[in-house]
Amino acid sequence: MKKTLSILLIGALAISFSGCEKDKLYEVNEETLLAPNANKTKLKSDQQYIAILYANLFQTALSSDNLFEASQCVQSIGDKDLVHEVLISNYMNQSGVILPTNDDMRADVDGFITETYNRFLVRNPTEAERQYFKNYINTHPNVRPELVYFSFALSDEYQYY
Amino acid sequence: MKRRGFLKKAATATTGAFLAPYILPSGRLFAATGAQLAEHVVMVMFAGGVRNQESVEQTYLDQSQGIPVQGNIMYNMLDGAPPTQKIVYGTDGNLAGDTPIPQILGSTIQQQGTLFREVRSSHAGHYGGMNAMLQGNTLYSQGLRQKPINPTIFEYTRRHLGAPASKVWFVGNGIGNSTPLMNYSSHENYGADYGANFLAPDITFGSQGIEHLSNAKIYHPEEELDPIYQMKYFLDNNFENVGGAIETIHNTEAEKQSIKLFMREMYNLGGNIARPPVADNGDLNTIGYAVEVMKWFKPNLMVLNLGAVDACHANYTDYLSALHRADHAVGHLWNQINQIPEMANNTIMLITPECGRNLESNPIRDENDWRAFDHSDSNTQRVFTQMVGPNVPSNLVRGSVGNQIGETVDNCPTIAEILGFKDDVMNNGLISSTAQSLFDRI
């Protein structure tokens, strides 16, 4: 009788303890999903903009003397969009700008878009961006890599890091 | 279906009616409140700290060096005979500076307009002084290397006159002393959207500009520039969606194209521009390019600053020389304005030093053993203002020593009155309580 009672007691305890064990609950941290360009919040200085622009176009560094003079030129004109445009136009008129050929671009538009985003905006394009540029390039036969590079160098996002 | 179409059209029209005042390309939101006295204003921030003793008082060496030689070395601007001895301010003849520059104007600015002989400058420094003139306010919290805190006359002009960016210009004597910051303020209701086009010709068209800006590739507007802008605007829209945007003064594409063509023209001219007959310092070069800007754009408002007079910190002879040239520059400027058909007889010019200079000299002596002057004591509060042009009384002098009439901050509401939006500026609570249009002080 005692033995039966003991077995029942152990059994009851075992059941009650097993009832305390909670189910494991797995959660994820709350994260705000941002666009890939959303973390660029700092405006480049004139010198940073010029140095990075030159490096992106020529794949080499601009000398410090030239960097200083070019930044003075940017400061001497009030419309920054305008002076950037003139500066880029000057660089595009120099030999040594490293550009893919038009044939290369059109042979692999996808690759060109990715490479351009990586080079200028230091990120990959979103699918929407990729699609836009793909359509734009394919439907505008007069668009060549130089014009695409120009637009990226002139973009607002390029002025931030 | 028809009802739905009607509602859609009505909603669009209503939305358009509400939006229209905010999307006008001119940026104009309100009608100008008064009649214009002239369509164009040119304001000269004169010259980098000028003592009234050597300008309107014409004491030459008498009250600076204790040498009893008096005379007027600003004979384009002021009535009065030049000194007859110890001439050092001209061009080089037998001796350095011994040949005064011939007068340009047949009658002086004083004869043609109104002279306020004793005007109060509230700042002893260049940047604060220029800011006071542009903002119509003496903000002592205004820092150096900081955008103007309150709106400038550029912004008032663009917003309340509805002037596009290419009609409002600030031509600076360089890029030092925070000069490029003054083309618009950081004020939340004005700011970059209403800013002026700034140009520092000594840099833009100097050796730096020739090296880095003059060889710009010419792109076809439709075939090449349009695609560039279209792709840029796509990128900008994406970036704007995450809160990123660049401050811009909103030159339209056509205005940008015009400015680029202007720059190309200047490079093509190779320096053969409308400089004054004598052009041997930076101020005179600045004036030459300012005239070219006026010829090209016919601005409603142009402000330019001259600064060579500030040589007085270390060299009094150079100060006299620069002051004489600043007068030569103003004479040339007024002469040229009246040769531009759209601006002749339709432009009022204002001239005011941003600050004066000290009564007492510093210890530095120049090659003539003459003492130099800084700008920090109460004498820096003494400057003058000249106005000339249509609707400005001629041959009128107001104020005298000990009887100050006018303040440097008056320049801002004066320009507002000339261009027809005085009430907008006077009633917005952003200018100094003592600032008045100079027309109200006559």
Side-chain angles (χ1 to χ4, degrees):
Chain A
M1 185 64 178
K2 270 187 183 174
K3 192 177 178 183
T4 309
L5 277 173
S6 300
I7 290 167
L8 283 172
L9 188 62
I10 290 166
L13 283 171
I15 289 165
S16 67
F17 276 116
S18 69
C20 287
E21 191 179 322
K22 291 181 179 172
D23 290 335
K24 284 180 179 169
L25 183 64
Y26 294 95
E27 294 180 2
V28 289
N29 292 330
E30 272 191 26
E31 292 288 346
T32 307
L33 294 176
L34 294 175
N37 52 0
N39 57 351
K40 293 176 181 170
T41 54
K42 292 180 181 167
L43 195 61
K44 292 173 186 169
S45 68
D46 290 335
Q47 292 207 356
Q48 286 170 327
Y49 175 84
I50 295 163
I52 295 167
L53 171 68
Y54 192 89
N56 285 159
L57 294 179
F58 294 90
Q59 304 286 298
T60 184
L62 184 62
S63 72
S64 56
D65 284 354
N66 280 325
L67 178 58
F68 178 70
E69 282 187 357
S71 72
Q72 285 189 314
C73 290
V74 169
Q75 290 174 63
S76 76
I77 294 176
D79 187 329
K80 295 305 166 206
D81 266 355
L82 175 78
V83 70
H84 288 166
E85 197 176 315
V86 175
L87 192 67
I88 298 165
S89 304
N90 269 266
Y91 287 152
M92 288 299 187
N93 222 8
Q94 291 177 21
S95 59
V97 178
I98 296 176
L99 285 164
T101 64
N102 200 32
D103 289 343
D104 288 344
M105 177 181 79
R106 293 191 178 276
D108 180 11
V109 175
D110 247 341
F112 171 77
I113 294 166
T114 304
E115 188 276 336
T116 305
Y117 266 86
N118 288 172
R119 182 191 283 212
F120 285 91
L121 304 183
V122 201
R123 67 178 176 87
N124 287 323
T126 64
E127 276 314 302
E129 290 169 330
R130 185 187 300 284
Q131 203 54 46
Y132 169 85
F133 276 101
K134 217 168 166 176
N135 286 343
Y136 197 88
I137 291 167
N138 287 332
T139 56
H140 290 77
N142 57 326
V143 168
R144 56 186 194 276
E146 179 182 334
L147 305 188
V148 179
Y149 276 23
F150 202 127
S151 69
F152 273 73
L154 209 54
S155 71
D156 287 353
E157 185 179 342
Y158 188 62
Q159 295 179 56
Y160 279 83
Y161 68 97
Chain B
M1 195 67 177
K2 280 182 181 174
R3 176 183 155 79
R4 186 175 295 173
F6 168 77
L7 287 174
K8 192 176 175 185
K9 281 180 185 170
T12 308
T14 309
T15 308
F18 279 115
L19 287 178
Y22 302 98
I23 58 173
L24 289 174
S26 67
R28 181 173 186 161
L29 299 182
F30 309 104
T33 51
Q36 289 189 330
L37 302 178
E39 285 181 36
H40 307 274
V41 177
V42 175
M43 179 170 82
V44 183
M45 301 197 284
F46 189 79
V50 178
R51 285 176 19 126
N52 261 15
Q53 283 84 348
E54 285 76 44
S55 54
V56 290
E57 290 182 28
Q58 305 178 9
T59 63
Y60 194 45
L61 301 174
D62 195 20
Q63 289 188 27
S64 58
Q65 312 301 331
I67 299 169
V69 178
Q70 301 200 347
N72 174 24
I73 64 171
M74 297 167 58
Y75 38 69
N76 286 292
M77 295 167 64
L78 301 167
D79 294 349
T84 53
Q85 302 172 57
K86 296 189 180 293
I87 312 298
V88 296
Y89 50 82
T91 52
D92 295 349
N94 294 326
L95 297 170
D98 68 353
T99 309
I101 302 171
Q103 186 175 2
I104 290 178
L105 299 177
S107 59
T108 62
I109 300 288
Q110 182 176 342
Q111 288 163 1
Q112 295 182 50
T114 297
L115 167 64
F116 291 84
R117 288 181 63 94
E118 286 283 335
V119 168
R120 179 183 167 82
S121 169
S122 306
H123 273 273
H126 304 295
Y127 192 62
M130 288 190 278
N131 262 300
M133 292 166 73
L134 294 172
Q135 298 179 50
N137 206 333
T138 51
L139 290 167
Y140 295 107
S141 54
Q142 175 70 55
L144 297 170
R145 306 185 72 182
Q146 179 192 24
K147 277 274 183 199
I149 295 171
N150 274 358
T152 60
I153 189 61
F154 304 122
E155 293 150 83
Y156 290 131
T157 301
R158 286 199 57 198
R159 180 164 174 172
H160 299 292
L161 184 65
S166 61
K167 290 288 187 182
V168 180
W169 282 85
F170 175 31
V171 178
N173 67 335
I175 57 172
N177 296 323
S178 303
T179 303
L181 297 182
M182 287 187 282
N183 64 333
Y184 60 86
S185 73
S186 57
H187 194 277
E188 58 183 358
N189 295 334
Y190 289 85
D193 289 350
Y194 304 99
N197 272 296
F198 171 73
L199 184 66
D202 266 6
I203 306 289
T204 312
F205 303 117
S207 60
Q208 303 97 316
I210 290 167
E211 174 71 24
H212 297 277
L213 303 178
S214 69
N215 193 30
K217 194 169 184 175
I218 307 292
Y219 289 96
H220 190 279
E222 286 88 32
E223 295 290 315
E224 296 177 313
L225 280 178
D226 275 356
I228 288 171
Y229 289 144
Q230 283 168 13
M231 290 185 280
K232 169 188 157 51
Y233 294 149
F234 169 79
L235 291 166
D236 289 351
N237 279 336
N238 279 355
F239 193 55
E240 200 177 350
N241 287 338
V242 295
I246 295 289
E247 285 189 338
T248 168
I249 59 172
H250 293 294
N251 281 305
T252 62
E253 285 174 21
E255 286 176 305
K256 281 183 192 171
Q257 192 64 17
S258 180
I259 295 169
K260 284 189 282 185
L261 287 172
F262 168 75
M263 290 173 66
R264 175 151 297 280
E265 175 71 5
M266 293 303 103
Y267 292 125
N268 288 342
L269 287 173
N272 295 318
I273 57 153
R275 287 196 185 90
V278 173
D280 56 5
N281 75 9
D283 281 349
L284 297 163
N285 193 47
T286 300
I287 285 284
Y289 282 106
V291 170
E292 295 294 342
V293 169
M294 285 193 293
K295 284 183 184 171
W296 191 280
F297 295 101
K298 285 91 182 176
N300 294 111
L301 173 62
M302 169 178 280
V303 174
L304 50 105
N305 78 318
L306 309 177
V309 162
D310 204 31
C312 196
H313 281 295
N315 191 311
Y316 188 80
T317 303
D318 286 352
Y319 164 69
L320 295 174
S321 175
L323 192 56
H324 187 57
R325 279 154 180 74
D327 167 80
H328 180 60
V330 168
H332 176 73
L333 182 64
W334 187 235
N335 197 27
Q336 291 290 310
I337 287 170
N338 285 298
Q339 290 178 32
I340 300 169
E342 295 85 348
M343 296 181 74
N345 303 314
N346 201 8
T347 303
I348 293 178
M349 182 166 71
L350 297 161
I351 309 146
T352 307
E354 73 272 24
C355 64
R357 301 196 87 86
N358 289 356
L359 188 63
E360 301 297 332
S361 65
N362 68 30
I364 302 172
R365 289 175 182 265
D366 64 18
E367 65 270 29
N368 289 312
D369 203 28
W370 293 342
R371 293 183 294 264
F373 291 82
D374 300 321
H375 41 94
S376 57
D377 71 18
S378 61
N379 198 59
T380 60
Q381 296 181 324
R382 296 181 58 208
V383 295
F384 67 92
T385 290
Q386 287 191 292
M387 287 199 298
V388 62
N391 293 305
V392 177
S394 59
N395 217 10
L396 178 68
V397 178
R398 299 285 286 127
S400 57
V401 177
N403 176 30
Q404 283 191 328
I405 297 177
E407 302 180 35
T408 55
V409 290
D410 292 343
N411 279 278
C412 177
T414 304
I415 293 170
E417 176 159 11
I418 294 166
L419 294 176
F421 51 89
K422 177 183 163 190
D423 289 350
D424 295 305
V425 173
M426 295 301 290
N427 298 332
N428 69 2
L430 295 171
I431 65 168
S432 167
S433 59
T434 57
Q436 283 186 43
S437 166
L438 288 166
F439 289 96
D440 293 332
R441 296 194 191 270
I442 288 175

